[in-house]
């Protein structure tokens, strides 16, 4: 397996961080969560970034971090659910990693995120409608950029990691 990096993309709650950590351990790669890097560099939580400075400011930070962090090799990156919104993000990500889309249904996303207060875009009254609409729009983008699509509805990160490793071996 001679790829440089792996990127996990997918909707909030799809398991990118959990699967990413296991996957990195099994491959001997370093796990990097892009949202955590943003929080460390800002010294505040993402919800505070959104609250004080808005989504546009957050997206600028996200792009800046992507341009820097993808200079590394042998990393598994858990990307924020919105990275696919900017072509310039995906240009860097596609050029420097194998992209894996962790796919879940809107119903499972809602179940997993029902009580979540840390994701400002879905911290709304009509959570169900917002999640359904966002997944519908984003699924097209996730598929467009993915080299591999893996379902994670069962929420079994160990098994999902195994499936990814098998698919990576077949691909290479
Ligand atoms: C976002 C997803 C979040 C975080 C931010 C915006 C999105 O990351 O980057 O709240 O637009 O989907 P996770 O997918 O890791 O929750």
């Amino acid at each position: 397996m001679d790829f440089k990096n792996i990127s996990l993309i997918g909707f909030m709650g799809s398991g990118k961080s959990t699967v990413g950590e296991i996957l990195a351990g099994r491959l001997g790669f370093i796990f990097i969560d892009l949202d955590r890097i943003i929080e460390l560099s800002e010294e505040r939580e993402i919800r505070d970034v959104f609250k004080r400075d808005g989504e546009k400011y957050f997206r600028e930070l996200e792009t800046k971090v992507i341009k820097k962090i993808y200079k590394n090799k042998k990393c598994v990156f858990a990307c924020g659910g919105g990275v696919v919104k900017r072509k310039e993000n995906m240009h860097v990500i596609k050029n420097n990693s194998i992209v894996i889309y962790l796919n879940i249904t809107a119903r499972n996303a809602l179940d997993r995120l029902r009580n979540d207060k840390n994701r400002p875009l879905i911290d709304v009254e009509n959570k169900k409608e917002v999640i359904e609409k966002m997944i519908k729009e984003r699924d097209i983008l996730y598929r467009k950029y993915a080299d591999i699509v893996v379902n994670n509805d069962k929420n079994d990160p160990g098994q999902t990691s195994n499936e990814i490793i098998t698919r990576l071996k077949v691909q290479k």
Side-chain angles (χ1 to χ4, degrees), residues 7-64:
S7 298
L8 297 177
I9 62 169
F11 200 69
M12 295 170 257
S14 59
K16 291 164 291 183
S17 302
T18 322
V19 171
E21 256 189 279
I22 295 175
L23 192 60
R26 291 188 182 167
L27 292 172
F29 279 28
I30 290 164
F31 173 68
I32 295 179
D33 189 318
L34 294 189
D35 284 344
R36 294 291 84 74
I37 301 290
I38 293 170
E39 289 186 328
L40 284 173
S41 70
E42 283 288 294
E43 295 182 345
R44 55 184 174 154
E45 291 183 359
I46 281 172
R47 61 177 168 190
D48 292 329
V49 178
F50 270 78
K51 206 157 112 190
R52 283 176 201 277
D53 298 300
E55 180 174 355
K56 190 167 181 293
Y57 179 83
F58 172 78
R59 297 295 171 206
E60 297 291 337
L61 286 176
E62 194 172 43
T63 300
K64 227 193 264 175

Side-chain angles (χ1 to χ4, degrees), residues 23 90 116:
L23 192 60
M90 295 317 295
D116 191 284

Side-chain angles (χ1 to χ4, degrees), residues 101-118:
Y101 169 27
L102 280 192
N103 166 262
I104 54 166
T105 61
R107 178 195 279 256
N108 273 329
L110 182 65
D111 276 352
R112 295 180 199 177
L113 301 169
R114 199 176 292 280
N115 300 315
D116 191 284
K117 290 273 167 238
N118 293 319

